[in-house]
Amino acid sequence: MSSSSSSTKDQAALVESSKRAAAFQAVADHLLPSYTRIGVGSGSTVVYVVEAIAALGPSVTDSMTFYPTGAQSEALIEAANLRLQYINKLAPADQLDVAFDGADEVDADLNLIKGGGACLWQEKVVATAARNFVCVADFRKLSDRLGKAWKKGIPIEVLPIAAPRVLGELRAMGARDPQIRSGLPGKAGALVTDNGMWIIDAPFAPLRLPSDEGEAAEGEWTVDALADRLIKIPGVAEIGLFSGKNGLEVASGAQKPVAAYFGMADGTVEVRKAAAAAS
Ligand SMILES: O=C(CO)[C@H](O)[C@H](O)COP(=O)(O)O
């Protein structure tokens, strides 16, 4: 084996072990035995979240019901012999106690880019139904501004018939070469989401935060302004920016996590916690 392929393997193993470490710590810190309703997100990191939950054993998990964010997490819940229920069965007045999910990038204010796995719409429904949304990731996702680490663009779920007009709008807003996500290698043509929609990936210049100093340059958006504008484009079903309030600032409907756990390359887990609203 060449030294470059063995170092690629070493890096992949490091990433996997860091995801697993973050998942086990997040579950230890945020899955209280008294909880009964748990959201389970999508992606490769969530596999370790479900492993950590299942490792608690039936004496803890038998009183819990698990709500998926799509076909992948539904299968994970079932394979772990955990009780499955769908979010449309949760009474509107009720909340999930906690939801765990991954992210593609996390900025200094805990805004997220999500949707690399094309599950962003159901992920946002489940995250905002939770009193405590907890993000689990590895060191590659840590960032100070969204768009610096995740270069593929903001995933946007769109009605297929509206996709050309949405692409035009995005270009006019400064997106750099937005593209309809391909289903290749598994499927020719556009990728179709669990909701029968398409995904457009729209790269923007790294997104500013309110605390950023200096004037915004031409084409630079703040996270909140861009989220507000994107969701209003006709034909856009949901966007992969999770922004606005966190669960310490509002009692329900928060898109931002209360905490983000990052498995680091040195084996430690770094935790970024949300700040409560200034009174
Ligand atoms: O948003 C997501 C899927 O829509 C995932 O949470 C995100 O893509 C991170 O995935 P992974 O844990 O595989 O890196």
Side-chain angles (χ1 to χ4, degrees):
M1 194 190 298
S2 74
S3 67
S4 80
S5 72
S6 76
S7 76
T8 309
K9 268 192 157 179
D10 290 349
Q11 172 71 9
L14 185 66
V15 167
E16 291 310 304
S17 63
S18 67
K19 290 179 194 174
R20 191 167 185 273
F24 272 74
Q25 191 169 326
V27 168
D29 290 352
H30 290 277
L31 188 65
L32 306 191
S34 59
Y35 284 174
T36 57
R37 302 185 189 110
I38 322 298
V40 178
S42 312
S44 57
T45 312
V46 164
V47 173
Y48 300 113
V49 169
V50 174
E51 183 191 337
I53 292 171
L56 297 172
S59 63
V60 176
T61 58
D62 272 1
S63 54
M64 298 175 172
T65 303
F66 296 84
Y67 294 76
T69 54
Q72 182 225 358
S73 52
E74 178 182 337
L76 283 176
I77 291 166
E78 287 185 320
N81 286 319
L82 301 171
R83 187 182 303 111
L84 174 74
Q85 185 52 281
Y86 300 97
I87 198 71
N88 60 332
K89 301 293 180 196
L90 186 71
D94 289 338
Q95 282 181 295
L96 303 177
D97 295 302
V98 62
F100 298 94
D101 203 351
D104 300 303
E105 191 174 8
V106 185
D107 75 13
D109 280 359
L110 298 185
N111 297 295
L112 310 178
I113 292 180
K114 289 188 49 54
C119 300
L120 61 103
W121 195 359
Q122 292 190 42
E123 287 173 345
K124 197 172 275 187
V125 171
V126 168
T128 55
R131 278 191 288 117
N132 299 292
F133 170 36
V134 177
C135 181
V136 187
D138 62 77
F139 54 91
R140 301 167 305 164
K141 316 294 181 65
L142 256 172
S143 183
D144 56 348
R145 280 189 183 193
L146 298 181
K148 273 192 172 175
W150 180 257
K151 306 275 189 202
K152 295 179 184 171
I154 298 164
I156 301 172
E157 188 153 356
V158 297
L159 188 67
I161 202 169
R165 301 201 66 79
V166 176
L167 282 170
E169 264 312 300
L170 291 168
R171 285 188 205 103
M173 290 168 59
R176 301 161 175 171
D177 197 21
Q179 295 286 336
I180 296 167
R181 195 180 295 178
S182 162
L184 289 173
K187 173 193 171 294
L191 176 145
V192 179
T193 70
D194 287 342
N195 316 303
M197 301 285 154
W198 289 359
I199 299 282
I200 291 176
D201 292 298
F204 282 87
L207 302 181
R208 292 173 63 85
L209 295 173
S211 55
D212 283 346
E213 287 172 4
E215 285 290 298
E218 177 79 22
E220 274 190 334
W221 289 84
T222 62
V223 179
D224 289 338
L226 183 62
D228 194 48
R229 179 76 184 79
L230 289 175
I231 196 66
K232 289 179 177 146
I233 299 174
V236 167
E238 190 48 271
I239 61 172
L241 276 180
F242 284 45
S243 60
K245 305 286 187 194
N246 66 58
L248 303 180
E249 296 170 314
V250 288
S252 66
Q255 296 185 13
K256 291 201 307 195
V258 291
Y261 285 68
F262 302 92
M264 304 305 290
D266 63 4
T268 61
V269 175
E270 189 172 316
V271 187
R272 277 188 185 174
K273 288 188 179 155
S279 54

